[in-house]
Amino acid sequence: KDEQIVAEIMRRRFFPALITHKTWEGFHFAGHEIRITEDTDCYGAVVWPSALVLCYFLETNSKQYNLVDKNVIEIGAGTGLVSIVASLLGALVTATDLPELLGNLQHNVLQNTKMKSKHQPCIRELSWGIDLEKNFPRSSCHFDYIMAADVVYYHPFLDELLLTFDHLCKNDTVILWAMKYRLEQENQFVERFQTLFDIEIVSSFPSLNIALYKAMRKGRMKA
């Protein structure tokens, strides 16, 4: 079953028939053809399999996780694929990433959601752990969902990532987070994450070494 679903997910991806001056990939999600411009010189501007897993989950579980008119923030949005799919499914989306990635992110989001989405997504800078209260004040920012795809990998900012999850998450916020396991560091981060959040695996793809988690603040998952 794992291999069958993975094959279905990967069939959602297509490539240009002709070589163009810009590198792009195409995807079929939420009833739309989505074209994503990439920058292969930057890890944050490439579509990784975890993003496809999360997009497929959002589309195929749209009744249980109804995004219409819900406030959604994606951290580490990269190329914007997850944010685009969430927007096409009706969410009010805030797509965030580092300042150097915002140009390509905005291009992709605008190209794929303008005149197609109920709510036009917002693109904002978010450097994990920096100026969180200033830029996303707890008193006025409320997100129904936090989404993340492949944000945990070998880098020195895992403390800041956990701080960012903690700051953005209210008692009723649901985190949907797709993660590819690569190194022991990923396991250690999940253990630390569980000190603040209850977590459950909602999908698992051993052939991709990817797990999709749902998480909420401690004590809120069954509330």
Side-chain angles (χ1 to χ4, degrees), residues 117-130:
S117 295
K118 184 177 182 181
H119 308 284
Q120 190 57 44
C122 173
I123 311 299
R124 293 189 62 182
E125 176 186 342
L126 174 53
S127 298
W128 297 340
I130 298 176

Side-chain angles (χ1 to χ4, degrees), residues 37-112:
T37 301
E38 297 182 307
D39 180 356
T40 54
D41 292 331
C42 178
Y43 285 126
V46 176
V47 177
W48 299 100
S50 292
L52 302 187
V53 166
L54 182 49
C55 289
Y56 181 82
F57 179 84
L58 295 176
E59 180 188 89
T60 56
N61 293 272
S62 59
K63 289 185 178 179
Q64 182 178 359
Y65 297 90
N66 185 354
L67 299 184
V68 177
D69 299 332
K70 297 295 195 300
N71 282 310
V72 171
I73 186 168
E74 184 185 6
I75 61 175
T79 62
L81 180 61
V82 172
S83 288
I84 291 164
V85 172
S87 177
L88 293 173
L89 290 171
L92 296 97
V93 175
T94 301
T96 70
D97 215 314
L98 296 170
E100 59 266 29
L101 297 174
L102 296 187
N104 188 58
L105 174 59
Q106 183 153 3
H107 167 78
N108 285 331
V109 169
L110 185 64
Q111 174 179 266
N112 290 287

Side-chain angles (χ1 to χ4, degrees), residues 134-190:
K134 176 184 175 182
N135 297 325
F136 298 90
R138 289 179 185 270
S139 61
S140 58
C141 287
H142 179 277
F143 298 105
D144 299 294
Y145 290 94
I146 299 170
M147 296 188 183
D150 219 3
V151 292
V152 180
Y153 48 87
Y154 184 75
H155 59 65
F157 303 111
L158 295 181
D159 288 343
E160 291 81 357
L161 174 59
L162 187 59
L163 184 65
T164 301
F165 273 124
D166 184 41
H167 180 84
L168 296 173
C169 190
K170 297 287 178 63
N171 283 342
D172 58 348
T173 302
V174 174
I175 298 170
L176 293 175
W177 161 33
M179 186 175 82
K180 182 177 179 67
Y181 283 85
R182 298 184 179 88
L183 302 165
E184 179 59 27
Q185 199 160 358
E186 278 87 359
N187 294 318
Q188 294 173 358
F189 182 82
V190 172

